[in-house]
Amino acid sequence: MDAHGWAAGVMTGLRWVAHVLAVQALLVLGTLAGGVVLGLAPALDAGGRVLARLPAGDPSPHVWAEFWRAWRAGWRRANVVAAPLAAVGALLAVDAWVVTAADGPVRAALGLGLGIVGAWTLVVLAYLPAVLRRYSDPAPAAWRFLALAPALGPGTALGVLLAAVVWAATCWVAPPLAVLGGLAVPLLATGWLVDVRLDRLDARVAAAT
């Protein structure tokens, strides 16, 4: 690689790092701005829109302004589409408490069920920002697609879970990375995986019509 190509690669890498750090801070602020419960989905939507421009080779020149513009514009739709996920999250929290109180085979069975539902929910959550960004279907149609997405794309689902596990292990070994990249890194990685999957689906639908 020549010096110019090397320098361009370094600049691209630094731009990615800067975007990830900025979006991580904005995800926290956006979540808090909505009182956590009503802030998380819009923050993921807005952060996903900013980060999706990196793999596309079109990084945002105004990360702060673009994030908050998307956060405000998509607040209502993001919360409506994410409402079932919020309910499932609350149910998982209750189930996790029940598992800790159980014992023996009951605890093992409940733990297995909790793990399966939790993994499914994690994959659905990975699809959420891309679905909000790419489609404008009514909420019921979005709910149906999100609920079935892990089963319809098992390879993508496995990739999402693997990315989450690798990032969790990385943060376990190097805790400062959890603060610096927290949600932004998996949002970028899983968002790219989901976009690849949705590109294929969209191409298939376009070919069929």
Side-chain angles (χ1 to χ4, degrees):
M1 180 183 295
D2 59 28
H4 183 271
W6 178 85
V10 171
M11 290 302 296
T12 298
L14 291 175
R15 188 178 297 115
W16 280 52
V17 171
H19 272 63
V20 167
L21 294 176
V23 169
Q24 171 59 22
L26 287 166
L27 286 170
V28 174
L29 293 174
T31 300
L32 294 176
V36 180
V37 175
L38 297 179
L40 179 58
L44 291 174
D45 176 27
R49 291 175 188 272
V50 173
L51 292 175
R53 297 182 61 171
L54 291 175
D58 179 34
S60 172
H62 306 290
V63 173
W64 177 276
E66 182 174 335
F67 177 92
W68 288 113
R69 184 166 56 249
W71 190 94
R72 290 190 296 269
W75 185 87
R76 183 180 181 280
R77 174 169 169 76
N79 278 304
V80 170
V81 174
L85 281 172
V88 171
L91 181 60
L92 287 173
V94 173
D95 288 347
W97 178 81
V98 172
V99 168
T100 60
D103 197 10
V106 173
R107 180 170 184 171
L110 289 175
L112 177 61
L114 183 65
I116 293 172
V117 175
W120 194 282
T121 304
L122 181 61
V123 175
V124 172
L125 185 62
Y127 270 85
L128 176 66
V131 168
L132 290 171
R133 183 177 74 252
R134 297 169 65 118
Y135 310 120
S136 58
D137 300 310
W143 293 337
R144 288 193 298 271
F145 179 79
L146 287 169
L148 294 173
L152 297 176
T156 300
L158 183 59
V160 166
L161 294 175
L162 181 59
V165 169
V166 169
W167 178 240
T170 302
C171 292
W172 179 266
V173 174
L177 292 178
V179 177
L180 297 173
L183 289 174
V185 170
L187 182 60
L188 173 61
T190 62
W192 175 77
L193 289 170
V194 170
D195 271 330
V196 170
R197 167 67 181 167
L198 295 181
D199 284 343
R200 292 173 183 161
L201 287 178
D202 290 345
R204 201 174 301 166
V205 171
T209 57

